[in-house]
Amino acid sequence: MINILFCKCRDSYHKLLSLPDAPKKVAQGIALGVAFDFLPVPFISIPLSFIVAKLIRVHAVAATLTVLIFKPAVPLFFTINIFVGKFLLGTVPSPITTDLAQGVPLLTKAILKIKALGFPFLVGSGINALIASFLVYFLALNLLEARRRAIKKNPKGVKVVANKTT
């Protein structure tokens, strides 16, 4: 199962690198897609990334494909958002005290605790989305430009192997 997931990610990665547009536009689309995975828009992030990419004129397919590739990592991203938000804002007191906790159902307690994380989570998601998108943009731009240079040097895609003489 892990092998299948890895192969799908690798295939998607190669699709991203071979998109036919300027490396800058594709890298901007990839950065936008990563940013959307950090933001708290879980169900509409895929169509929303496509629409926003079209509006700001970056590569919409790259943005959408990136959102799909990183979708399995969203729980990790959300956890990082909470840690960053708590680090910057401190802890938010829980709206439920230990005295009240005795009569409150478990699901209600969980919802109240998540609600208490709201503002730190939003701050963390905004900051993480910005940082991750900048880092991914420059990484993707360098990868795309290196790939384009390699293709120009060897347009047929044939690997050149040096002859060994012993």
Side-chain angles (χ1 to χ4, degrees), residues 76-93:
L76 174 66
F77 293 165
F78 281 12
T79 304
I80 294 170
N81 291 344
I82 291 169
F83 284 128
V84 169
K86 279 186 169 185
F87 177 75
L88 294 173
L89 300 176
T91 58
V92 177

Side-chain angles (χ1 to χ4, degrees), residues 8-9 11-19 23 25-38 45-47 49-50 53 58-74 77 129 132-137 139-141 144:
K8 285 186 180 189
C9 286
D11 293 342
S12 298
Y13 165 78
H14 287 295
K15 285 178 187 176
L16 274 175
L17 291 182
S18 60
L19 287 171
K25 287 188 102 172
V26 175
Q28 289 169 344
I30 293 170
L32 180 70
V34 168
F36 266 99
D37 274 335
F38 275 96
S45 62
I46 296 167
S49 67
F50 184 82
V58 300
H59 203 286
V61 174
T64 308
L65 190 57
T66 304
V67 169
L68 289 169
I69 289 171
F70 285 103
K71 207 40 97 179
V74 167
F77 293 165
S133 63
F134 279 117
L135 291 174
V136 167
Y137 169 73
L139 177 68
L141 185 61
L144 289 164

Side-chain angles (χ1 to χ4, degrees), residues 20-157:
D21 208 344
K24 186 177 178 181
K25 287 188 102 172
V26 175
Q28 289 169 344
I30 293 170
L32 180 70
V34 168
F36 266 99
D37 274 335
F38 275 96
L39 298 176
V41 285
F43 298 112
I44 60 170
S45 62
I46 296 167
L48 194 60
S49 67
F50 184 82
I51 292 168
V52 170
K54 285 289 192 184
L55 289 174
I56 63 173
R57 296 184 181 170
V58 300
H59 203 286
V61 174
T64 308
L65 190 57
T66 304
V67 169
L68 289 169
I69 289 171
F70 285 103
K71 207 40 97 179
V74 167
L76 174 66
F77 293 165
F78 281 12
T79 304
I80 294 170
N81 291 344
I82 291 169
F83 284 128
V84 169
K86 279 186 169 185
F87 177 75
L88 294 173
L89 300 176
T91 58
V92 177
S94 177
I96 189 163
T97 61
T98 53
D99 295 336
L100 290 175
Q102 299 298 332
V104 179
L106 184 64
L107 182 62
T108 305
K109 278 194 264 187
I111 290 172
L112 289 173
K113 286 184 179 188
I114 291 171
K115 191 175 180 182
L117 294 172
F119 189 64
F121 174 73
L122 289 176
V123 169
S125 66
I127 290 170
N128 289 339
L130 285 173
I131 292 171
S133 63
F134 279 117
L135 291 174
V136 167
Y137 169 73
F138 289 113
L139 177 68
L141 185 61
N142 286 332
L143 283 172
L144 289 164
E145 288 175 347
R147 182 180 170 106
R148 300 278 162 100
R149 283 191 301 269
I151 290 172
K152 281 183 183 178
K153 282 183 180 178
N154 193 5
K156 293 184 180 182

